[in-house]
Amino acid sequence: MTAEPDSIRAAYRAFAELEGSAESDDRFVAAIVGYDHDLRELWLDPRALRDRDAAALAARVLDTVRAATDDADRRAFAVAQPFLPPGTGFEDVDLAFDPVLAEVERRARQGG
């Protein structure tokens, strides 16, 4: 589980640039979320506003943002996997708070 300083710095940069995305089934809602679960973009097709059911639109937005967050988490796991113990699966870690990310960040700031 020891990683080279360059690979740690590369992982830190990859996390900073990482984004997950999703689109609703009707393609009227799209979202982009960072690995830190920060909503970076939300797009609504004007046709989504024709239906005056605000609750349905809100649910569609939430579902799309959740799917984009899941996509970001899976992409982050792929970046973090070399630093995790062998056999660690996606469901085994919480990438938003997992200590391995803190360690990657600490080492990157120390220069390796």
Side-chain angles (χ1 to χ4, degrees), residues 37 73 77 84 89-101:
H37 298 174
D73 285 347
F77 178 77
L84 298 170
F90 176 74
E91 274 72 22
D92 298 328
V93 294
D94 180 351
L95 292 174
F97 299 104
D98 198 290
V100 75
L101 293 184

Side-chain angles (χ1 to χ4, degrees), residues 69-85:
T69 300
D70 185 59
D71 183 47
D73 285 347
R74 291 184 184 283
R75 291 171 188 262
F77 178 77
V79 172
Q81 199 165 21
F83 305 98
L84 298 170

Side-chain angles (χ1 to χ4, degrees), residues 32-50:
I32 297 176
V33 174
Y35 97 92
D36 55 358
H37 298 174
D38 181 41
L39 179 61
R40 296 183 180 173
E41 290 185 36
L42 179 64
W43 176 82
L44 299 174
D45 186 299
R47 293 175 291 177
L49 304 175
R50 290 182 186 158

Side-chain angles (χ1 to χ4, degrees), residues 3-4 6-7 15-16 21 24-26 41 53 56 59 67 84 92-93 98-99 101-103 107-108:
E4 297 297 317
D6 288 340
S7 65
F15 283 126
S21 61
S24 63
D25 290 340
D26 61 8
E41 290 185 36
D53 186 352
L84 298 170
D92 298 328
V93 294
D98 198 290
L101 293 184
E103 180 65 11
R107 289 185 189 185

